Amino acid sequence: QVQLQESGPGLVKPSLTLSLTCTVSGGSISNGGYYWSWVRHHPEKGLEWIGNIYHDATTFYNPSLRGRLFILIDTSKNQFSLQLLSVTAADTAFYYCARGKRLSGMDVWGQGTAVIVSS
Amino acid sequence: SYELTQPPSVSVSPGQTASITCSGDKLGDKYASWYQKKAGQSPGLIIYEDNKRPSGVPERFSGSNSGNTATLTISGTQAMDEADYYCQAWDISSSSMIFGGGTKLTV
């Protein structure tokens, strides 16, 4: 069965770039039937969609993050990644990667990783 | 921008039926999904395409979507169902995935 695992630094200084990687196991990220997502959870604000990427590198981003967000896919490593530029304390959250099917929601989630933005 | 509105909290007695609503403009024209989020755990998909249950999700969870409102119904609510519940839909106009603000279910 497909499993996802997030990795990356848990602490990022303000104004720098947050980089996270999601490694997919048990299935191919090149499967065209799925999209690959990043979602974050703010305990006080709930779930927030960050963006999606498809196997052909087509991306869809949350408009509120567009301009400082990049989601990339590396099919050779079966990974996709998130880069969020110029982070602030508002980007402190628990970050999840997930797999979804068009119109059908996200059915497989990583365990998540905590990211704190602080100097 | 498109928004989905949920009640912040819903309370239900064990064994009773809980209903959690999610409102958005013409939401019935979109597919709604629902996620369960417990503290310290990843979100889990419990309803997709308005009323379908992934394998492994108990039959007491059901969904509907019509007009401007999607509803998650939990029949015979159990203590283990206490969690935060989020609705989600895709907004074609902005090519964005939208989450509702979440509802805390207390059993």
Side-chain angles (χ1 to χ4, degrees):
Chain A
Q1 84 207 42
V2 173
Q3 293 184 313
L4 281 64
Q5 178 68 60
E6 304 87 351
S7 59
L11 181 64
V12 184
K13 295 186 188 306
S15 80
L16 297 187
T17 297
L18 163 63
S19 296
L20 296 175
T21 297
C22 183
T23 300
V24 180
S25 59
S28 173
I29 201 171
S30 298
N31 187 327
Y34 298 101
Y35 60 80
W36 308 91
S37 293
W38 288 100
V39 175
R40 63 186 181 182
H41 180 241
H42 306 262
E44 301 302 318
K45 296 195 290 182
L47 295 176
E48 179 182 23
W49 173 70
I50 297 172
N52 294 348
I53 191 165
Y54 289 77
H55 71 289
D56 62 357
T58 298
T59 53
F60 295 94
Y61 294 156
N62 185 322
S64 70
L65 298 173
R66 207 171 286 153
R68 62 186 188 101
L69 172 64
F70 296 93
I71 297 178
L72 306 170
I73 192 167
D74 187 337
T75 55
S76 67
K77 295 182 178 179
N78 229 32
Q79 295 176 332
F80 63 106
S81 62
L82 171 153
Q83 293 182 352
L84 187 62
L85 281 58
S86 305
V87 296
T88 69
D91 296 309
T92 293
F94 217 78
Y95 285 75
Y96 295 96
C97 60
R99 182 190 80 170
K101 206 167 184 180
R102 181 169 168 76
L103 302 180
S104 298
M106 293 168 282
D107 63 340
V108 181
W109 293 70
Q111 64 183 29
T113 186
V115 175
I116 297 173
V117 178
S118 175
S119 55
Chain B
S1 61
Y2 194 80
E3 293 184 356
L4 294 174
T5 301
Q6 299 180 233
S9 62
V10 168
S11 294
V12 63
S13 300
Q16 299 303 302
T17 296
S19 293
I20 299 174
T21 58
C22 174
S23 299
D25 184 49
K26 298 181 181 178
L27 180 56
D29 293 343
K30 311 177 192 301
Y31 273 137
S33 299
W34 289 90
Y35 299 86
Q36 179 189 68
K37 173 83 173 68
K38 295 182 179 180
Q41 297 183 19
S42 305
L45 180 67
I46 53 173
I47 295 290
Y48 67 99
E49 292 181 14
D50 295 339
N51 54 23
K52 296 182 171 65
R53 276 180 291 105
S55 61
V57 173
E59 291 184 8
R60 63 179 182 274
F61 290 92
S62 63
S64 63
N65 186 16
S66 179
N68 294 322
T69 304
T71 303
L72 172 68
T73 302
I74 309 173
S75 304
T77 308
Q78 301 180 9
M80 67 187 303
D81 299 330
E82 192 161 278
D84 293 330
Y85 291 85
Y86 293 88
C87 61
Q88 174 256 308
W90 180 261
D91 177 38
I92 292 178
S93 65
S94 62
S95 295
S96 298
M97 186 175 292
I98 310 296
F99 281 103
T103 298
K104 182 176 182 58
L105 177 68
T106 301
V107 182

